[in-house]
C-alpha cells in the first residue's frame, strides 16, 4: 500500500472472499432448521469450504515482489462523500484473509455435534462474521474499513450472548461496549483525515498527507483507543477473559485466532503510516505497554484456575509480542510480529479447541476437576502436548518462529528490551506446562474423568489439521515470510521518512 500504483485484477476474488461466506450465512439462516440439523450443518460446511476455496487464488496469484495493492476492486459507492467500494491486499493483509477463511471451516466442524439449539443461527453468525472480518483486511477505503470493523461486533455479540455460559449477557455487553466506545474516536479521526486530504477516504491518500506533529499525536491516540482495545493491550484487556470464559468454543477460537488481529492490523494499516512521527515519538509508551503485557500478564496467566482464563491471559501476553514488534521499527521485529499474529491464530485456536473437547465431556473448565486425562484420552493428550508446547514457544512449532524473531528484533533495537522480552519464554513455559501437568498427568482424582471417551473421528481430524498447520509453519516458515518481505520494507521506509 506504500507504492503509488496498484495491481488490478480482472476477476473480483476479494468480493467473493467477502460475500460468499455472508451469502452462505444468510442461506443457512433462511433454509436451516433444528429439526433438520444435519442438513443445516452440511450447508454451513459447504459454505465455509467454498469461502476458503475462493481465497486460494489470492495466494496462488499473488506477486510477492511488489508492495502494491493487488486484486484491486474500485467502484464509486457514496459519491457525495467520496466513499468507494475499494478493495485490495498486499503482503501484510493477504495471510489474514486466508487465515480467516481457514478458521471458519474449523469452527463449523467444531460445533457440529456440540450445538443442538438454534443450529442455523449459530452457523450463520460465524459465516457472516467471517465475511465481515475478511472485509476489514481487504478494505482500501477508510469508511469501508470502519463499517466492516464495527459490523464484526454484531455477530460476535450474538454468539457470546446466545450460546455463551451463565454470565454470557454480562460478557457480551462488556465486549460490545469496550470495543464500540474505543472505536468512536477512530471515526472522528477518519473524518478529520477526510477533511485534510481534500475529501478522500482512500487509505493510500491518507498515508501521503503531511501532518504536523500535534495532529499526528491526536490521530495516533484516537486510533489507539480502538486498536489497543481490540488487540487487546494492557490495561484495556479486561473484557477478553470474560468474553473467552463465557463464549462457546467456536466463539473463543474466532476471538483469539482472528478478531484480536483486527486491532493489530489497524496499527499497521493506519497508525504507523498515517502518523509516522507520532509513532516514533510514542514508541516508548507503546513498548512499555507491550512489555507489561508480555511479562505481567504472563505471570497473571500462571495463577489462573480456569483453563479458558489461562489461555485468554496468555493471548494478551502473546499479542504483547506483536505490538512490541511493530514499534521497534526494524524489519526483523515487524516480520516477527506478523508471524506471531498468524501463529497465534493457529496455536490459541487449537488450545481453545482442546479446552472445548474437555468441556464437552465434563462440563467444567476448572483445572482442579481434571488430572490423569492421559490414562483415558491418550490421542487427545498427544495433541494437547503439542499445542501446549507451541504455546510455550517450543522450537519446531509456529509459536517459536514469531516470538524468537521479535526477540531478535528487540535485541537489535535495544539489548535490555530484548532481554525483558525473552523472559516471556520462561513465563510461557511455566503456565503452559503447569496447565498440561495438572490436566493430563498425575493420578485420576475425579471419577468422572475415568468415563471420558477419547477423540471422535471428527475431533481427531480437526486436531490433526491444526497440528499440521502449527508444525508446518514452525518447520518451514518461508512461504509465510516471503509474501510479506517487500510490503514490510515499504512500510518501514515510509514510516522512517518524517512528515514534518
Amino acid at each position: 500500500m506504500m507504492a503509488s500504483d496498484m495491481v488490478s485484477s480482472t476477476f473480483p476474488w476479494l468480493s467473493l472472499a467477502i460475500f460468499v461466506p455472508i451469502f452462505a450465512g444468510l442461506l443457512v439462516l433462511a433454509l436451516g432448521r433444528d429439526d433438520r440439523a444435519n442438513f443445516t450443518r452440511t450447508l454451513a460446511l459447504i459454505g465455509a469450504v467454498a469461502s476458503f476455496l475462493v481465497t486460494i487464488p489470492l495466494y496462488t496469484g499473488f506477486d510477492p515482489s511488489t508492495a502494491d495493492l493487488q486484486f484491486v476492486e474500485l467502484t464509486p459507492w457514496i459519491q457525495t462523500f467520496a466513499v468507494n467500494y475499494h478493495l485490495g491486499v498486499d503482503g501484510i493483509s493477504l495471510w489474514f484473509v486466508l487465515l480467516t477463511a481457514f478458521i471458519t471451516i474449523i469452527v463449523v466442524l467444531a460445533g457440529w455435534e456440540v450445538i443442538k439449539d438454534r443450529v442455523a443461527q449459530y452457523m450463520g453468525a460465524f459465516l457472516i462474521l467471517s465475511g465481515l472480518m475478511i472485509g476489514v483486511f481487504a478494505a482500501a477505503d477508510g469508511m469501508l474499513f470502519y463499517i466492516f470493523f464495527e459490523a464484526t461486533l454484531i455477530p460476535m455479540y450474538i454468539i457470546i450472548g446466545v450460546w455463551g455460559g451463565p454470565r454470557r449477557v454480562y460478557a457480551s455487553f462488556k465486549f460490545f461496549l469496550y470495543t464500540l466506545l474505543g472505536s468512536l474516536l477512530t471515526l472522528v479521526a477518519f473524518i478529520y483525515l477526510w477533511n485534510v486530504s481534500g475529501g478522500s477516504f482512500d487509505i493510500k491518500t491518507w498515508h501521503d498527507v503531511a501532518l504536523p506533529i500535534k495532529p499526528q499525536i491526536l490521530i495516533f491516540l484516537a486510533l489507539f483507543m480502538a486498536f489497543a482495545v481490540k488487540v487487546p493491550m494492557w490495561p484495556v484487556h479486561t473484557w477478553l477473559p470474560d468474553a473467552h470464559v463465557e463464549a462457546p468454543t467456536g466463539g473463543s477460537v474466532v476471538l483469539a485466532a482472528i478478531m484480536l488481529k483486527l486491532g493489530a492490523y489497524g496499527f499497521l494499516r493506519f497508525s504507523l503510516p498515517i502518523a509516522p512521527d507520532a509513532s516514533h515519538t510514542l514508541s516508548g509508551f507503546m513498548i512499555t505497554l507491550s512489555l507489561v503485557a508480555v511479562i505481567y500478564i504472563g505471570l497473571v496467566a500462571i495463577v489462573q484456575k480456569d483453563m479458558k482464563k489461562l489461555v485468554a491471559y496468555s493471548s494478551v501476553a502473546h499479542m504483547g509480542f506483536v505490538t512490541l514488534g511493530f514499534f521497534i521499527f526494524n524489519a526483523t521485529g515487524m516480520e516477527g510480529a506478523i508471524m506471531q499474529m498468524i501463529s497465534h491464530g493457529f496455536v490459541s485456536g487449537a488450545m481453545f479447541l482442546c479446552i472445548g473437547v474437555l468441556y464437552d465431556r465434563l462440563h467444567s473448565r476448572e483445572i482442579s476437576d481434571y488430572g490423569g486425562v492421559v490414562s483415558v484420552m491418550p490421542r487427545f493428550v498427544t495433541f494437547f502436548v503439542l499445542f501446549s508446547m507451541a504455546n510455550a514457544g517450543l522450537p519446531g512449532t509456529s509459536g517459536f518462529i514469531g516470538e524468537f524473531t521479535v526477540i531478535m528484533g528487540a535485541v537489535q533495537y535495544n539489548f535490555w528490551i530484548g532481554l525483558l522480552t525473552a523472559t516471556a519464554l520462561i513465563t510461557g513455559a511455566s503456565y503452559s506446562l503447569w496447565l498440561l501437568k495438572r490436566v493430563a498427568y498425575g493420578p485420576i482424582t475425579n471419577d468422572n474423568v475415568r468415563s471420558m471417551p477419547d477423540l471422535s473421528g471428527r475431533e481427531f481430524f480437526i486436531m490433526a489439521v491444526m497440528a499440521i498447520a502449527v508444525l508446518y509453519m514452525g518447520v518451514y516458515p518461508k512461504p509465510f515470510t516471503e509474501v510479506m518481505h517487500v510490503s514490510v520494507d515499504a512500510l518501514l521506509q515510509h514510516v522512517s521518512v518524517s512528515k514534518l
Side-chain angles (χ1 to χ4, degrees), residues 15-28:
S15 288
L16 285 177
I18 294 169
F19 290 106
V20 165
I22 292 176
F23 175 76
L26 295 173
L27 197 64
V28 169

Side-chain angles (χ1 to χ4, degrees), residues 49-63:
V49 172
S51 303
F52 179 69
L53 291 177
V54 298
T55 65
I56 293 177
L58 297 174
Y59 177 73
T60 57
F62 188 82
D63 179 7

Side-chain angles (χ1 to χ4, degrees), residues 28 35 70 101 113 119 162 215 226 243 286 296 298 322 327 343 418 431 476:
V28 169
D35 59 357
Q70 301 181 44
E113 295 174 0
V119 177
V162 175
M286 296 298 293
Y296 168 67
V322 173
F327 287 91
S343 167
Y431 57 67
Y476 189 57

Side-chain angles (χ1 to χ4, degrees), residues 220-235:
F220 184 95
L221 292 175
L223 297 175
F224 172 84
M225 292 304 295
F227 301 147
V229 169
K230 205 81 160 187
V231 167
M233 297 181 69
W234 181 88

Side-chain angles (χ1 to χ4, degrees), residues 289-310:
L289 294 185
S290 301
L291 287 174
V292 171
V294 168
I295 299 168
Y296 168 67
I297 301 299
L299 295 173
V300 172
I302 294 175
V303 300
Q304 297 306 309
K305 299 178 180 179
D306 183 299
M307 288 188 286
K308 267 197 172 184
K309 271 197 174 181
L310 188 151

Side-chain angles (χ1 to χ4, degrees), residues 309-392:
K309 271 197 174 181
L310 188 151
V311 178
Y313 280 113
S314 80
S315 289
V316 178
H318 287 140
M319 291 302 290
F321 274 92
V322 173
T323 48
L324 176 68
F326 292 165
F327 287 91
I328 56 179
F329 301 108
N330 60 50
T332 305
M334 188 167 288
E335 288 188 10
I338 298 171
M339 291 288 285
Q340 175 74 344
M341 290 166 70
I342 301 168
S343 167
H344 184 257
F346 295 139
V347 176
S348 66
M351 289 295 290
F352 281 115
L353 287 168
C354 287
I355 295 170
V357 167
L358 294 173
Y359 183 81
D360 293 341
R361 286 153 173 76
L362 209 59
H363 300 291
S364 173
R365 292 183 301 269
E366 291 295 317
I367 298 171
S368 59
D369 288 339
Y370 294 88
V373 172
V374 69
S375 301
V376 293
M377 300 176 66
R379 293 199 300 174
F380 165 79
V381 171
T382 301
F383 289 113
F384 193 37
V385 169
L386 170 63
F387 299 138
S388 297
M389 294 296 110
N391 202 43

